[in-house]
Amino acid sequence: MTPASSRRRDLPAIVASIAATVLGAGLGELAAAIVAPTASPFAVIGGGMIDLAPAWAKDLAIDLFGTGDKAALLVGIAVLLLVVAGAAGVLERRKAPWGRVALVAVGVVGAIVSFTRADAGTLSPVPSLIAGAAAALVAGVLIARLRRGRASAASGDDDGVTRRGVLALSGVAVLAGVMATAGSFALSGGARAVSAVRAALRLPSPATTTTVPAAADLGIDGLAPVVTPSADFYRIDTALIVPQVDPATWALRVHGLVEQEVVLRWDDLIALPQKETVATLVCVSNEVGGSLIGTARWLGVPIRDILARAKPTAEADMVLSRSVDGFTASSPLEALTDDRDALLAIGMNGEPLPIEHGFPVRLVVPGMYGYVSATKWVSELEVTRFDRAEGYWTSRGWSERGPVKLQSRIDVPRSGAQVAAGETVIAGVAWQTHVGVSGVEVQVDDGPWQKATLATAISADTWVQWSLPWNAASGSHVIRCRAVSATGETQTSDTAAPAPDGATGWDQRTVSVA
Ligand SMILES: Nc1nc2c(c(=O)[nH]1)N[C@H]1C(S)=C(S)[C@@H](COP(=O)(O)O)O[C@H]1N2
Ligand SMILES: [Mo]
């Protein structure tokens, strides 16, 4: 037998093993939908990869795929799985039962990872084990047929009938796998149920509101609107499958270094006086000039009101907020109890929080990057100390505290834009949430720094729009901007990467004027 003909005979084994794996994965997803909705093998492995991935890999994924990072990860896992399945097919044909062992091992890895997930239950390993076992069983049967077909054939190529039969069975396995996957989607009605609850929900009206002055929005084409529509609001989190939390079963436990443990349910929360504020939320991963920032009207109860009931003890200096999916954020106790509008938010832009933005309850803390404050799907506030506990990203190398840095961005003209010569406008946004911005300066090429006009600020907790008229001469121009904070600090030109505590440097655009 020549190596070439051996390799050719690998092909039907590869097809059979991949088909068996598609079937196993489908059955695993179906089993998850029935017995352990949070333990979908794909979600478990993907979630484990997100948690284990080093910070640079997370940044790279956000850079490459933006908010499509999770879809990209799922596709990546599927491709990897099919490659492993193909290899297992070759192994099984040449050295049975090692191919089956490999497929079972993949299931066992999924089962082990499922135990490490924050929302693990006793049945969590079951779907991955079923997936691995089914894939191994079916691959074993199909490849054994191929081997028997060869053994009974007189020459290497006479077993075509067996091969065609196995290929047909592989097709059936793929079809069954796809149907099982579709069934799992149909069964995981939890997601649809929570959407329905959300759609029917009526929010209480606020006792106090913040109005958005008309002059807060300059209405310039291409400039980010001062209040970001929820549908355009950036989304960053580690949740591969968006947690589905029913307000009817939601509860917030406040515990740790407190005199009085407090458990707050949805009905308790909406019975309290609600405040509507406008605040800008920004991600620590936002690059200079980046778009991981947005501003919304938030409705909710000041966190200090809840903490006042629990009475933190004198030694406490941090609150570790925890999400139902295990994510944690460490916020200074002071930022949650001083006079700022740190909210336990239930509404965003006049509607219940969108599910991917934390429905039914999240935190919003002006002045802090999201990773140390803005816990979505929040279920716990543990009052503790910075020297005793740390948040999700802190344990992955990011700073334990994350006050928002002074920044500004040019929105108009866009980078690389073609601008007609003559009177035009340069415009953008600037922020240092909870400090405020007192001015923005713009430099064209190496000319003098010119003062831009600021729009009316909604508050120190929001970004502010700015603009500057520009008489553009033909040629290529470099535009840069820098903000001045309400405390008189000028935005630094020193460049720093987002890790570990936020990017610095000036935003700059090159535009060509014709
Ligand atoms: N449960 C949970 N909450 C979370 C996160 C997360 O990964 N899980 N990410 C935080 C980060 S890093 C940011 S920047 C904000 C983003 O909030 P948004 O998706 O509503 O814009 O949510 C924060 N809250
Ligand atoms: Mo973030």
Side-chain angles (χ1 to χ4, degrees):
M1 181 170 68
T2 64
S5 74
S6 171
R7 248 178 272 134
R8 198 165 48 220
R9 273 190 300 277
D10 280 338
L11 198 61
I14 291 172
V15 170
S17 181
I18 286 180
T21 302
V22 170
L23 176 61
L27 291 177
E29 293 302 314
L30 187 60
I34 297 167
V35 302
T38 58
S40 137
F42 264 90
V44 159
I45 292 177
M49 286 175 73
I50 291 174
D51 288 352
L52 291 177
W56 61 261
K58 170 222 172 206
D59 297 340
L60 186 68
I62 293 174
D63 280 354
L64 287 177
F65 305 111
T67 46
D69 55 347
K70 286 164 192 89
L73 178 63
L74 286 176
V75 170
I77 293 172
V79 169
L80 189 69
L81 189 63
L82 294 185
V83 169
V84 171
V90 173
L91 202 58
E92 179 66 13
R93 191 186 76 76
R94 298 186 181 188
K95 288 206 163 32
W98 289 107
R100 272 173 287 167
V101 170
L103 290 173
V104 168
V106 172
V108 169
V109 168
I112 292 169
V113 177
S114 75
F115 269 129
T116 69
R117 308 303 301 150
D119 42 15
T122 46
L123 293 178
S124 292
V126 171
S128 292
L129 292 177
I130 288 181
L137 187 75
V138 175
V141 168
L142 292 179
I143 293 169
R145 267 191 186 226
L146 287 172
R147 294 159 63 100
R148 273 201 309 278
R150 256 205 51 73
S152 59
S155 84
D157 272 325
D158 273 358
D159 50 348
V161 180
T162 313
R163 251 185 292 143
R164 277 190 292 278
V166 167
L167 287 183
L169 285 175
S170 299
V172 172
V174 169
L175 198 67
V178 169
M179 280 168 59
T181 307
S184 81
F185 279 111
L187 278 176
S188 51
R192 269 172 296 126
V194 170
S195 298
V197 169
R198 177 180 176 274
L201 204 65
R202 299 257 302 143
L203 290 180
S205 11
T208 49
T209 60
T210 306
T211 46
V212 177
D217 204 309
L218 300 171
I220 294 171
D221 224 26
L223 174 59
V226 72
V227 174
T228 314
S230 300
D232 300 338
F233 209 94
Y234 80 96
R235 174 191 164 200
I236 290 293
D237 54 59
T238 60
L240 195 53
I241 303 279
V242 180
Q244 303 293 323
V245 182
D246 186 339
T249 56
W250 175 85
L252 180 77
R253 194 161 77 90
V254 188
H255 65 107
L257 300 175
V258 295
E259 283 175 30
Q260 177 67 54
E261 211 175 291
V262 171
V263 174
L264 197 72
R265 301 196 175 279
W266 176 258
D267 288 339
D268 308 327
L269 182 60
I270 59 169
L272 295 172
Q274 305 288 318
K275 196 162 186 180
E276 191 175 57
T277 67
V278 184
T280 296
L281 183 60
V282 52
C283 182
V284 69
S285 296
N286 195 39
E287 303 274 358
V288 173
S291 57
L292 300 179
I293 178 169
T295 301
R297 283 190 292 128
W298 306 99
L299 177 76
V301 173
I303 300 167
R304 64 174 168 272
D305 293 358
I306 310 299
L307 288 173
R309 293 189 183 186
K311 300 195 183 68
T313 60
E315 53 176 333
D317 67 1
M318 188 260 269
V319 174
L320 192 71
S321 50
R322 184 172 280 113
S323 160
V324 295
D325 66 357
F327 172 87
T328 52
S330 59
S331 313
L333 178 63
E334 217 207 314
L336 305 185
T337 49
D338 65 14
D339 61 353
R340 84 185 76 193
D341 291 323
L343 291 188
L344 204 52
I346 58 174
M348 182 178 185
N349 293 332
E351 285 181 4
L353 293 176
I355 296 177
E356 63 275 23
H357 291 292
F359 181 80
V361 187
R362 75 173 302 169
L363 304 191
V364 177
V365 184
M368 316 287 304
Y369 286 120
Y371 82 108
V372 284
S373 68
T375 303
K376 306 191 270 190
W377 316 287
V378 66
S379 61
E380 232 181 272
L381 298 181
E382 182 185 349
V383 181
T384 178
R385 294 179 50 84
F386 276 107
D387 59 16
R388 257 182 231 178
E390 58 184 9
Y392 184 96
W393 286 114
T394 306
S395 62
R396 288 161 175 81
W398 294 74
S399 175
E400 68 175 11
R401 287 161 206 256
V404 172
K405 295 181 178 176
L406 180 62
Q407 262 301 337
S408 53
R409 184 180 81 190
I410 301 165
D411 283 0
V412 182
R414 298 239 158 253
S415 194
Q418 278 285 137
V419 177
E423 282 305 326
T424 179
V425 68
I426 302 170
V429 284
W431 65 90
Q432 185 174 20
T433 58
H434 205 56
V435 173
V437 168
S438 64
V440 169
E441 296 166 339
V442 178
Q443 185 186 43
V444 179
D445 302 324
D446 289 315
W449 285 94
Q450 306 173 62
K451 277 193 185 339
T453 304
L454 293 190
T456 304
I458 301 171
S459 78
D461 294 342
T462 65
W463 61 11
V464 60
Q465 293 185 348
W466 56 265
S467 74
L468 182 76
W470 179 36
N471 192 352
S474 307
S476 175
H477 299 284
V478 176
I479 301 170
R480 40 181 92 77
C481 68
R482 66 183 186 198
V484 180
S485 78
T487 54
E489 184 202 342
T490 298
Q491 185 186 328
T492 180
S493 61
D494 295 347
T495 59
D501 61 359
T504 61
W506 292 337
D507 191 17
Q508 162 172 318
R509 298 268 180 276
T510 303
V511 294
S512 69
V513 179

